[in-house]
Amino acid sequence: MAREYNPKEIETKWQTEWEKSGIYQANNNSKKPKYYALVEFPYPSGVGIHLGHVRAYTAMDIIARKRWMEGFNVLYPIGWDSFGLPTENYAIKTGRQPAEITKENTDNFRAQLKRLGLSFDWSREIDTSNPKYYKWTQWIFLKFLEKGLAYKAKIPINWCPKCKIGLANEEVVDGGCERCGTSVEQKEKEQWMLAITKYAERLEKDLDSVDYPKRVKTQQKNWIGRSEGVLIKFDDVEIFTTRPDTIFGATFVVVNGKEDKFTGRFVTNPATKEKIPVWEAEYVMSDYGTGAIMGVPADDERDMIFAKKHNLAIIKEYQRAKFEDFGKRVVKYKLRDWVFSRQRYWGEPIPVIHCDKCGVVPVPEKDLPVELPKVDKYEPGPDGESPLANITEWVNVKCPNCNEQAKRETDVMPNWAGSSWYFLRYCDPFNDREFASLDKLKYWLDGDLPRHGGVDWYNGGMEHTVLHLLYSRFWNKFLYDLKLVPTSEPYKKRTSHGLILAEGGEKMSKSKGNVINPDTIAERFGADTLRLYEMFMGPFEQAIAWSEDALVGPRRFLEKVWRLQSKVSKGLTLKSETLMHQTIKKVSDDIESMGFNTAVSALMIYVNALDKQKEIFQKEFETLILLLAPFAPHITEELWASLGHKDSIHVQSWPTYDLKKLVKDEVNLAVQVDGKVRANLLVTRSQSEEEIRINVLALSEVQKWLGGKNPKKIIMIPGKIVSIVT
RNA sequence: GCCCGGGUGGCGAAAUUGGUAGACGCGCGAGACUUAAAAUUUCGUGACCGUAAGGUUAUGUGGGUUCGAUUCCCACCCCGGGCACCA
C-alpha cells in the first residue's frame, strides 16, 4: 500500500532541503545564459502576505523554474519596500518604533513566502528602509540635485487646520481629515520636485522598444499625454490648441478658474478679427498647455456644452486654417513634475542642509547615509513640518561648506523612491562603494544591447502600470545618461496580474473583514494546492473572485497524480504518446503566454488519460511530473525521489515535444447547411477536397436539409468545416 | 468626469486568423463500493419542446457586416483598475 499524500510533511521536508543545497541561488560567474525574472517586492504590512502576492509570485516562480530547467542561470530575487505611511500610522497608534515594526513584519513575510516554496534567491534580500540601502537612494537624489533635476517649488498640499498636518490624498475622506473630520484646506508649501517632464519625450518614444502589453503602453502614453499643437495669441491671452485649423470657429476664450464666469474682458480672434469674450471655467486645466483655450463649439463637445450653457455664439460653418497660420508649433505634455517631498517620518531623509549663507548644500557623499534618528513622538512641526523638525539635535548641524550653524532638510522622500531603482540593487546587493557595479549590471541587464536590455521579465500589479513603472523608467534613464547603468530601459518585458477579490467580487480589505490569509489555506490544503488553485482559477491578467469551494479541484488532482505512481512500470510503448506530446507543447506555450489556467487544464486532461490506463510507463509519468514541477514543486520533488532519482527534479531538463507526433491522421469535419451544423464527417489527411465534397453531399442529413435543391455555394475550410449555402 | 480593462451554464472558466460555443474544474443528480458514512469510482448535467429520434434557442442589451460572429463595426447598460501624497 502506497503512502498517503501528506503535503505538510513533504513541503517542510523539501523546503529545508532546498535551503540547505541553495539550488535557487543565482551565480554571478556562470557560463550558462542568464535570465533575470522580477516581481514587485512587497510592502510588508502588519497583516501579512495576501492572496494577490501568492498569485503574482507563483506565476513568476513558474517562469523562473522553467528557465532553470531550460538551462539558464536565473536571478529571481525578493526584498522589502518597507518605507511608507501605514507603518508610520501604526507606530503613532502603538507608540513603537517604525523600524522595529518593520523588522517584525518582514520576518513574518519572509516566513510566509518561504512556506509557499518559491524559488527566490534569498541570499540577495534587500530592504529599502535599511540605511545600507537608502544610503544609495539618497546618493541618487544628490545626483538629481547636481544635474539640476531636483528643485524646490511652491505646491498646494492637503492641510488639516486642526491637526496641523499635511495629508495624503488617501487620508482625505469626502473632503475631510480622516482622523478628525475637519474640512481639508489647500495650503501652499515649498516642496522638493523631480523634473520628470524633462524626460517626457523619451519616456514616450522608448515605449516602442519594449515588450509591454498594449494596454500598459496605452496607459503610459495617455499619462504622458503628448500632443502637438500651436500657441496662438488672442491679444495678450496666449492659448494652446491641437486644432488650430478650427480657429475661424472660435467664439470665446476660456481660462482656468474655480467656477464658470465671464471675466468682463474681450479679446480679438486673430483669424476673424472679431472681439470674443474671455470666460473662466474649471474644465480648463491651469497646468496644461498655457492654461487657456479657444472655444470652438462647433468642433469640440465640451466647448459646445459650455457655449449652450452660457449662450455663447456657435458658428457652424467656417473656413479651415492651415496648422501654423496663426501661431508656432509646440509639443506639450500632460505629465507634471513629481512632488518628491513628504512631511513625514518613515521615509528616506532628503540629504541636504540649509545654510543661511550658502543656501541649499548637499550632504557630502562621505556623510551618507543621513540616518533617520529614533524619535519618541511623531507630532508634526508647528507649521506642518515633518516630525523630524522637532528633533533639534538632529536638525542642527554645521554647514559642510562654511562650518556655520545650519539646519537639515526635514522632508523625507515618498515611498516611490526606493522602488524606483531596487531592480538594480539586486544585481549587486551588498556593494558598499557603489549602488551596484557596472560589470554586474552589464551581466544581468544585457549591457551590450542597450535598446533591448533590462530585466528580462517583470511582472506586477495592474495598479502600478502608470506611476511606479514610469518613475522607475525615469530613474533608470537618468542613471543611464550618467553612464551608471547599461540600458536605457529598465525592463524588456512587463506583464500584469489581476487583483484577487473576495468571494462575491468585492475588494478584500481589512475594514470589510473579508481578507483571507494564505497561511490558513496552505495549512489546510498544502502550498502546492494553493499555488495550483491560484494558477487555475482564471485568466492571470484579470481580476477574479476567490472561491474556497473550488480549491478541492486542484487538491483532488494532486491526489490523483500521487496515486498514479503505484501504476508506474518500466516499458517502452507509450500508450498516450500523441497526448503526451500535445501536453508538452500546450504547457510549454501556455507558460510563456501566462495562460496558466489552460496549462493546468491540459495537465488535468493528461492525468485523466493516464488514470484510465492499466499501467503507466515511466516516461509518461516522468513527463507529467516534470511539466507539473514548476506549478507544484514539493509533490513533484517527492515523486521524483520516489522513482529512485538522486538529484532534484528542478534541475532536470524541460521536456521537449516531437512536432511529427502532435497530430492525428483523422479529423472530424463539421458540415453546415445555411450556417447551421447538420452533420459530421470523419476525413483523413490524405483525402482531396473533391473527394470530401462528394462524401459530404452524399450524407443523408445533408440530403434531408437540401430538400432536393442544388447548393448555391460550398465553402471548405480544410480540417474544420464545410459550409453549404442553398 | 477622464484614461485603461471586462461582461459566456447554478459557479470559476475554455474556444488558434471569423469556422462544431461551454474544454478543464467546482456544484448538482443518479448508480457502484460500504453495515453506514467519508474517500474513491461510473454515467448525466446551458435553457425550452419531445418517451425517443430529433428540433428550437443561447455568449450583457439593441442594431449591422458575413455562407458562418463570443470574435469585426455602431449605439447603449453594468462591473473592475488608475487619476499624480496608499503601496
Side-chain angles (χ1 to χ4, degrees):
Chain A
M1 226 0 223
R3 288 177 300 143
E4 291 220 346
Y5 173 44
N6 182 343
K8 230 194 248 178
E9 188 188 305
I10 60 180
E11 286 175 4
T12 318
K13 171 177 140 194
W14 288 113
Q15 282 162 20
T16 314
E17 188 61 35
W18 296 331
E19 184 137 9
K20 221 166 37 182
S21 67
I23 67 168
Y24 306 124
Q25 277 186 25
N27 187 338
N28 276 331
N29 313 289
S30 171
K31 292 222 167 65
K32 292 178 186 175
K34 68 89 197 182
Y35 199 89
Y36 188 173
L38 182 67
V39 287
E40 285 168 354
F41 59 166
Y43 175 74
S45 74
V47 292
I49 64 166
H50 53 72
L51 295 169
H53 292 120
V54 181
R55 188 184 204 188
Y57 297 170
T58 302
M60 211 61 212
D61 191 49
I62 288 167
I63 287 153
R65 286 175 180 279
K66 180 164 179 269
R67 291 291 181 274
W68 279 116
M69 292 172 83
E70 288 168 334
F72 287 89
N73 175 33
V74 178
L75 171 58
Y76 185 37
I78 190 71
W80 319 110
D81 188 14
S82 54
F83 275 133
L85 205 51
T87 302
E88 180 163 342
N89 286 340
Y90 187 73
I92 293 167
K93 222 166 87 183
T94 57
R96 298 175 55 202
Q97 292 293 323
E100 188 188 310
I101 296 163
T102 297
K103 165 95 174 49
E104 254 174 46
N105 290 350
T106 53
D107 285 348
N108 182 37
F109 263 63
R110 191 182 305 105
Q112 286 189 298
L113 291 177
K114 284 191 174 177
R115 262 175 257 148
L116 294 171
L118 298 162
S119 63
F120 286 132
D121 179 352
W122 286 101
S123 72
R124 290 171 184 254
E125 188 181 326
I126 58 173
D127 180 349
T128 57
S129 67
N130 183 326
K132 287 183 179 157
Y133 181 94
Y134 69 70
K135 167 180 179 177
W136 298 106
T137 312
Q138 291 174 333
W139 185 86
I140 295 169
F141 177 86
L142 291 180
K143 290 286 153 193
F144 277 114
L145 189 64
E146 186 187 315
K147 300 293 166 190
L149 292 175
Y151 64 97
K152 284 203 123 175
K154 280 213 161 187
I155 293 288
I157 62 163
N158 300 313
W159 175 255
C160 174
K162 192 173 165 204
C163 306
K164 302 224 181 294
I165 189 172
L167 297 173
N169 284 347
E170 199 194 41
E171 297 172 299
V172 180
V173 181
D174 296 326
C177 171
E178 188 183 54
R179 304 148 207 237
C180 67
T182 309
S183 243
V184 169
E185 294 169 3
Q186 296 296 304
K187 183 176 168 143
E188 293 254 307
K189 218 165 174 353
E190 281 258 304
Q191 305 268 52
W192 282 100
M193 307 288 289
L194 287 188
I196 189 172
T197 51
K198 291 247 164 71
Y199 280 76
E201 190 182 342
R202 285 163 66 192
L203 287 168
E204 203 232 26
K205 200 163 135 264
D206 290 354
L207 285 171
D208 294 340
S209 71
V210 292
D211 179 9
Y212 294 0
K214 215 172 117 198
R215 59 174 170 164
V216 172
K217 283 193 188 184
T218 313
Q219 278 284 63
Q220 291 237 334
K221 278 194 180 168
N222 290 344
W223 189 261
I224 296 164
R226 180 183 201 277
S227 52
E228 250 178 62
V230 296
L231 297 174
I232 301 174
K233 282 201 166 152
F234 285 60
D235 298 339
D236 62 330
V237 181
E238 190 173 45
I239 63 104
F240 173 72
T241 178
T242 58
R243 293 291 309 278
D245 59 308
T246 64
I247 189 166
F248 284 96
T251 53
F252 55 96
V253 162
V254 192
V255 298
N256 174 264
K258 285 222 168 85
E259 54 192 295
D260 294 2
K261 71 170 191 247
F262 177 47
T263 58
R265 293 181 53 209
F266 288 85
V267 290
T268 315
N269 178 332
T272 61
K273 311 292 182 208
E274 301 272 341
K275 289 274 178 198
I276 59 173
V278 179
W279 280 69
E280 274 185 16
E282 209 180 354
Y283 82 95
V284 175
M285 306 222 258
S286 59
D287 45 12
Y288 180 62
T290 59
I293 61 150
M294 62 179 191
V296 187
D299 244 280
D300 184 285
E301 215 175 312
R302 281 176 316 178
D303 294 348
M304 179 59 110
I305 292 165
F306 192 77
K308 280 188 173 162
K309 196 170 156 194
H310 300 290
N311 259 324
L312 298 163
I314 300 164
I315 310 175
K316 292 265 180 204
E317 303 221 351
Y318 51 83
Q319 185 191 341
R320 296 278 151 172
K322 284 203 185 113
F323 206 83
E324 291 181 80
D325 276 356
F326 298 96
K328 66 168 197 283
R329 186 181 293 257
V330 285
V331 175
K332 294 273 179 191
Y333 295 92
K334 277 207 188 94
L335 186 69
R336 310 201 294 258
D337 275 346
W338 177 2
V339 181
F340 202 66
S341 283
R342 300 290 184 273
Q343 288 73 47
R344 291 286 176 169
Y345 170 77
W346 192 230
E348 301 88 347
I350 289 178
V352 302
I353 290 164
H354 299 279
C355 170
D356 285 342
K357 267 200 213 155
C358 315
V360 170
V361 181
V363 171
E365 196 179 322
K366 66 171 174 50
D367 294 339
L368 293 183
V370 176
E371 284 198 45
L372 276 171
K374 282 196 177 168
V375 299
D376 302 323
K377 287 179 190 158
Y378 297 91
E379 271 102 55
D383 205 23
E385 293 103 332
S386 153
L388 291 171
N390 297 328
I391 309 168
T392 45
E393 61 272 35
W394 183 83
V395 170
N396 294 321
V397 284
K398 293 266 191 296
C399 170
N401 249 2
C402 65
N403 213 28
E404 293 288 308
Q405 267 307 316
K407 283 186 189 303
R408 285 191 191 281
E409 169 66 57
T410 58
D411 282 357
V412 299
M413 302 185 200
N415 172 273
W416 305 104
S419 61
S420 289
W421 71 282
Y422 75 114
F423 56 95
L424 300 168
R425 187 65 175 172
Y426 283 137
C427 299
D428 194 6
F430 306 109
N431 195 333
D432 55 8
R433 294 183 313 278
E434 6 173 35
F435 68 84
S437 86
L438 192 56
D439 277 352
K440 289 200 171 112
L441 291 172
K442 274 184 178 164
Y443 175 72
W444 287 110
L445 301 167
D446 281 342
D448 299 332
L449 295 165
R451 296 299 295 176
H452 305 288
V455 170
D456 290 279
W457 193 332
Y458 185 25
N459 184 74
M462 228 18 236
E463 70 275 21
H464 291 139
T465 55
V466 176
L467 293 179
H468 161 64
L469 206 56
L470 199 67
Y471 290 154
S472 58
R473 290 181 62 222
F474 164 47
W475 279 43
N476 188 82
K477 282 186 184 304
F478 172 68
L479 293 170
Y480 175 70
D481 290 348
L482 299 182
K483 299 192 165 48
L484 297 172
V485 302
T487 65
S488 63
E489 279 289 327
Y491 319 115
K492 262 188 240 183
K493 179 186 173 92
R494 163 80 185 197
T495 51
S496 294
H497 58 266
L499 221 62
I500 294 186
L501 307 166
E503 306 214 25
E506 276 193 311
K507 208 172 168 171
M508 282 194 193
S509 74
K510 217 170 147 186
S511 57
K512 283 185 189 139
N514 56 5
V515 178
I516 290 171
N517 183 349
D519 281 350
T520 326
I521 306 295
E523 181 72 17
R524 280 173 52 206
F525 295 89
D528 281 341
T529 296
L530 173 59
R531 291 170 59 114
L532 201 63
Y533 172 62
E534 289 215 18
M535 293 301 100
F536 182 60
M537 66 195 296
F540 183 67
E541 311 77 33
Q542 277 174 38
I544 195 160
W546 178 256
S547 163
E548 185 127 350
D549 291 343
L551 261 163
V552 295
R555 172 63 193 251
R556 280 179 197 155
F557 166 77
L558 289 179
E559 276 171 3
K560 200 181 269 186
V561 172
W562 183 263
R563 284 197 305 271
L564 287 183
Q565 65 178 318
S566 61
K567 289 204 278 182
V568 174
S569 61
K570 308 264 178 204
L572 295 173
T573 324
L574 301 174
K575 301 212 167 158
S576 304
E577 195 178 25
T578 303
L579 183 62
M580 185 180 93
H581 286 275
Q582 286 171 339
T583 307
I584 296 171
K585 179 169 186 347
K586 179 79 178 149
V587 173
S588 305
D589 292 354
D590 281 358
I591 289 176
E592 295 308 316
S593 60
M594 298 195 130
F596 302 109
N597 51 337
T598 48
V600 175
S601 149
L603 288 167
M604 285 171 168
I605 291 167
Y606 185 45
V607 163
N608 289 343
L610 293 183
D611 192 39
K612 289 208 167 64
Q613 293 174 199
K614 283 217 177 62
E615 55 179 347
I616 300 162
F617 296 117
Q618 187 146 345
K619 167 127 198 225
E620 292 175 319
F621 186 67
E622 287 191 350
T623 301
L624 167 68
I625 58 174
L626 285 165
L627 292 176
L628 181 60
F631 294 83
H634 311 88
I635 187 176
T636 49
E637 186 78 302
E638 179 71 19
L639 290 168
W640 184 255
S642 300
L643 288 170
H645 295 291
K646 294 278 173 276
D647 49 359
S648 168
I649 191 170
H650 302 296
V651 299
Q652 306 305 313
S653 293
W654 186 250
T656 52
Y657 56 89
D658 185 342
L659 267 178
K660 282 174 293 204
K661 292 188 172 154
L662 281 177
V663 280
K664 289 190 177 141
D665 193 45
E666 282 186 331
V667 192
N668 189 26
L669 214 58
V671 181
Q672 291 188 340
V673 180
D674 287 333
K676 285 192 176 157
V677 179
R678 298 300 184 182
N680 282 284
L681 183 69
L682 213 56
V683 297
T684 62
R685 317 194 86 221
S686 57
Q687 278 179 296
S688 72
E689 274 206 10
E690 192 49 36
E691 201 181 338
I692 294 168
R693 183 195 303 262
I694 290 162
N695 288 346
V696 162
L697 290 173
L699 288 169
S700 61
E701 291 96 331
V702 172
Q703 289 296 321
K704 180 178 139 198
W705 285 99
L706 279 176
K709 284 181 282 183
N710 273 331
K712 269 192 203 136
K713 202 164 148 193
I714 299 178
I715 298 147
M716 302 191 71
I717 310 294
K720 280 180 183 155
I721 214 158
V722 178
S723 183
I724 303 169
V725 189
T726 67

